[in-house]
Amino acid sequence: MAVEAPPSSSSIFSPWPDRLRHSAIVLLVAGLALLVLVALGELSPLRAGVVFALMAAAALVPWRLHHAAISREDRGGTVPVEAPAVAAVVAGMPDPAVLLDRAGRVIHLNAAAAQLAPALRKNELAQFALRSPEIITALREAIATTEPRRATYLDHVPVDRWMELMITPVPVPTAFGGTEKCMLMTFHDQTPLRRVEEMRADFVANASHELRTPLAALSGFIDTLQGPAKDDPKARDRFLTIMHAQATRMARLIDDLLSLSRVELSAHVRPDTLVDLVPIIRQVADGLEPLARERQVVVEINLPETLVMIAGDREELLRLFENLIENALKYGASGGKVIVSLSWAATGEGAPEIRVMVRDFGPGIAPEHLPRLTERFYRVDVGDSRSQGGTGLGLSLVKHILNRHRGRLLIESVPKNGATFTACFPQPKSAQSTQS
């Protein structure tokens, strides 16, 4: 950063002809006035000469006090770190960045930092806004030692995010030739890297556990077809049918695992594209019509004719409603009917939300199973789930998609009276104003 230098001696004692030229009119008028007074006898020539000499000296002496005051005002303050150039640099940083003074007060912060920590305020201590113990400890050490500090912490609001904090001392030149110690805090989001590591570990663990059964079945049937059933057409056809079902189950399992991993990887990034829920639900219902006919289930769709906009990811929403409606058709088929409806309601805090309800009239779910339905690979009836082609990941995927959309899943069920799964989405402000 360039700091304005004090005026040099050459500028103070500029050439006298230049000063004489700037004061020529004043001196000319003063000389004429003195000549008139001498001619009228009001003033002696000697006194007139002395007065003119004093006026000329006053005009030529470099009085710069007023000019220096103006220069300080033009510089925009006596603290260079508060200059607009420094604010522009901090604002232009891609990561959340906060510039602090020696006492830990906020001098500048960019929009990303304001979004990460809304409690940050200029000219206030950063410790009051950043309550994480790791941040406070690192900040205190950096202020005390004026040395760089690094800290890693987990932010739980609104979703889990792993953040890395870097505190770097920044010497800023002052107007008097010295330096002022400031602290530059930058935050780096480590969530994608952490989630990739977790995704890799979870995929290996889950795949090795869940794929073991179908792989063992395929291996056994292959050995049978190569051995005792080699010349038995009936057994071969039956085994090939079972092998096809097992291969299909493995494909669904891998697809669900990959989908779940992708959603978890971007769980901390909220979708910002407005989409209409009505055509998405209708598209899913139309695609599952063959399954409904096969199970002899009537699907009743109760949707409004108007647009129902939310901030969401279209592909993930398709997968969410596909899982909910498909589960209702598979596990609630004995009721012969599935109702899909959309309504508006308010949360306990009074915030408006959009609710999509999928209700079946099947056997229902026992109360002890309800809290665990969204766990990975949790099944109420393992045999029934596998016979229906389920992977045990559908509701877990639904929960993670809703979490990314800042929504929630409500599950209500009474044994022998069906089950109701309700996906709740926060209503965006733009949609609220349009609706009102």
Side-chain angles (χ1 to χ4, degrees), residues 251-279:
R252 284 181 59 95
L253 179 62
I254 294 174
D255 186 38
D256 284 350
L257 280 172
L258 292 175
S259 298
L260 185 58
S261 298
R262 282 193 294 266
V263 174
E264 289 181 336
L265 186 62
S266 58
H268 63 291
V269 181
R270 185 175 182 178
D272 55 2
T273 304
L274 290 179
V275 295
D276 185 5
L277 285 179
V278 174

Side-chain angles (χ1 to χ4, degrees), residues 57-290:
L60 295 177
V61 170
W63 301 103
R64 300 185 56 86
L65 296 177
H66 179 66
H67 178 69
I70 296 177
S71 299
R72 285 195 294 270
E73 294 175 0
D74 292 341
R75 283 198 296 268
T78 59
V79 184
V81 75
E82 296 181 359
V86 179
V89 171
V90 175
M93 298 184 69
D95 292 325
V98 184
L99 186 63
L100 309 176
D101 62 11
R102 286 175 295 180
R105 287 186 292 266
V106 177
I107 302 175
H108 299 295
L109 73 159
N110 60 7
Q115 183 177 5
L116 178 67
L120 284 172
R121 297 288 185 274
K122 293 189 67 173
N123 300 322
E124 294 185 6
L125 291 174
Q127 296 178 8
F128 295 156
L130 305 171
R131 300 301 182 94
S132 173
E134 294 85 355
I135 297 178
I136 295 176
T137 301
L139 184 56
R140 287 177 177 174
E141 292 178 355
I143 293 175
T145 63
T146 64
E147 294 179 357
R149 284 292 184 269
R150 182 193 302 261
T152 302
Y153 68 97
L154 177 61
D155 189 4
H156 294 283
V157 180
V159 295
D160 288 349
R161 297 175 64 183
W162 286 269
M163 303 296 297
E164 182 184 31
L165 168 65
M166 297 286 295
I167 304 178
T168 307
V170 180
V172 179
T174 64
F176 305 101
T179 58
E180 180 177 354
K181 288 289 186 180
C182 297
M183 298 291 169
L184 180 63
M185 300 174 58
T186 54
F187 298 82
H188 306 282
D189 193 351
Q190 302 293 316
T191 306
L193 295 178
R194 291 292 189 100
R195 293 199 183 278
V196 166
E197 295 175 1
E198 291 182 354
M199 180 181 66
R200 185 186 302 112
D202 290 345
F203 184 83
V204 172
N206 295 328
S208 61
H209 174 74
E210 290 295 322
L211 292 177
R212 185 176 292 114
T213 300
L215 282 175
L218 286 174
S219 179
F221 288 133
I222 290 174
D223 292 340
T224 303
L225 289 175
Q226 290 177 339
K230 182 177 182 180
D231 299 322
D232 188 346
K234 292 183 179 180
R236 184 171 61 247
D237 292 341
R238 184 167 66 89
F239 291 159
L240 287 175
T241 301
I242 298 174
M243 291 170 66
H244 181 268
Q246 294 292 336
T248 303
R249 180 189 166 201
M250 283 195 298
R252 284 181 59 95
L253 179 62
I254 294 174
D255 186 38
D256 284 350
L257 280 172
L258 292 175
S259 298
L260 185 58
S261 298
R262 282 193 294 266
V263 174
E264 289 181 336
L265 186 62
S266 58
H268 63 291
V269 181
R270 185 175 182 178
D272 55 2
T273 304
L274 290 179
V275 295
D276 185 5
L277 285 179
V278 174
I280 293 177
I281 299 173
R282 292 193 184 279
Q283 179 180 342
V284 172
D286 294 342
L288 292 174
E289 184 63 30

Side-chain angles (χ1 to χ4, degrees), residues 24 49 86 121 133 192 206 213 277 299 325 353 362-363 367 379 381 422 433:
V86 179
R121 297 288 185 274
N206 295 328
T213 300
L277 285 179
V299 180
I325 299 176
E353 65 180 4
R379 300 177 176 92
D381 187 333
T422 305
S433 59

